[in-house]
Amino acid sequence: GAGVSQSPSNKVTEKGKDVELRCDPISGHTALYWYRQRLGQGLEFLIYFQGNSAPDKSGLPSDRFSAERTGESVSTLTIQRTQQEDSAVYLCASSLWGISNQPQHFGDGTRLSIL
Amino acid sequence: QQQVKQSPQSLIVQKGGIPIINCAYENTAFDYFPWYQQFPGKGPALLIAIRPDVSEKKEGRFTISFNKSAKQFSLHIMDSQPGDSATYFCAASKMGGGADGLTFGKGTHLIIQP
């Protein structure tokens, strides 16, 4: 079956522009996660959705970051007024339920480069 | 504060050898410890995971050893192959819910030489 799909796979934009990243989770997965992976680093948790609700947005790096999810389907991560420090790979994962021992399945990410 | 510490940062092993990657954690609220494998340009893929109520888990050539009292866990890869060359991440999550996501180590870049 289809895995987690992310688009675009690569995005190059100028500093100050807004970008929108998309994630299509595995069908039937109620939980969805966004992570950021800087070059040569581990993954940094950003935000979690159970259904279309995000109970805690404190993991988002700044108020320039926002995320939405439509029902138990697609999610978008938006970065406004991009900065060079935002350059990273943004990864999305989904799991059947939002409990600790449910495996998270990752997409291949969006590689974001801010010029 | 890094909640999951992973070592070594990089590792080179001859084919057939047994690479060992170690992780340590501080937060006793963690109750699920997965290992992920990541190839360049790809997202992490779940390899194997363990709960703190068991000391060892094997799946194929991959084994997790878990020491709850020391708050340490490790990944062993038996009969390693060049195709196992990848970056490996340990991770941990808290009991009760996924709302905090996974806390990842910084990764180990593993090279298996033919």
Side-chain angles (χ1 to χ4, degrees):
Chain A
V4 176
S5 177
Q6 292 188 245
S7 61
S9 55
N10 287 281
K11 177 73 175 178
V12 181
T13 192
E14 293 180 348
K15 177 182 173 181
K17 299 288 189 182
D18 297 351
V19 296
E20 186 174 278
L21 313 180
R22 177 186 171 105
C23 172
D24 284 276
I26 294 172
S27 178
H29 280 194
T30 66
L32 185 145
Y33 306 80
W34 283 98
Y35 294 85
R36 178 170 70 178
Q37 184 174 28
R38 290 198 164 114
L39 186 64
Q41 299 295 311
L43 283 72
E44 173 191 4
F45 171 68
L46 299 179
I47 193 168
Y48 152 78
F49 286 90
Q50 180 59 47
N52 63 2
S53 173
D56 183 358
K57 299 182 179 181
S58 64
L60 294 174
S62 75
D63 58 8
R64 297 185 293 105
F65 286 70
S66 62
E68 294 183 345
R69 187 179 184 195
T70 305
E72 292 185 352
S73 183
V74 63
S75 175
T76 56
L77 178 69
T78 301
I79 309 173
Q80 295 179 310
R81 306 181 303 281
T82 52
Q83 303 294 313
Q84 288 186 333
E85 68 208 40
D86 299 332
S87 295
V89 176
Y90 290 83
L91 290 155
C92 174
S94 70
S95 63
L96 193 58
W97 299 104
I99 57 177
S100 64
N101 65 350
Q102 281 290 316
Q104 293 185 26
H105 302 271
F106 284 83
D108 288 337
T110 294
R111 185 175 302 275
L112 177 64
S113 299
I114 310 300
L115 301 178
Chain B
Q1 181 182 2
Q2 186 185 353
Q3 295 198 56
V4 177
K5 293 183 179 180
Q6 183 171 348
S7 62
Q9 187 173 2
S10 61
L11 183 60
I12 301 174
V13 173
Q14 294 293 317
K15 177 184 173 183
I18 305 175
I20 301 172
I21 304 171
N22 300 297
C23 286
Y25 64 97
E26 290 295 324
N27 193 335
T28 55
F30 289 144
D31 78 335
Y32 175 69
F33 302 89
W35 284 88
Y36 281 83
Q37 178 189 58
Q38 186 177 33
F39 294 106
K42 297 295 186 181
L46 179 65
L47 269 179
I48 185 173
I50 198 168
R51 299 294 297 271
D53 52 349
V54 298
S55 60
E56 185 175 278
K57 183 175 181 180
K58 291 183 181 180
E59 285 188 5
R61 297 185 294 109
F62 299 95
T63 299
I64 299 179
S65 298
F66 190 88
N67 185 331
K68 187 175 180 179
S69 61
K71 291 186 285 187
Q72 295 175 347
F73 58 109
S74 60
L75 176 71
H76 297 62
I77 305 175
M78 310 302 289
D79 186 28
S80 58
Q81 301 296 315
D84 296 328
S85 298
T87 300
Y88 292 80
F89 293 95
C90 61
S93 64
K94 295 177 184 177
M95 61 186 72
D100 294 314
L102 287 165
T103 299
F104 281 83
K106 290 191 174 182
T108 296
H109 182 51
L110 174 65
I111 296 174
I112 307 298
Q113 291 184 330

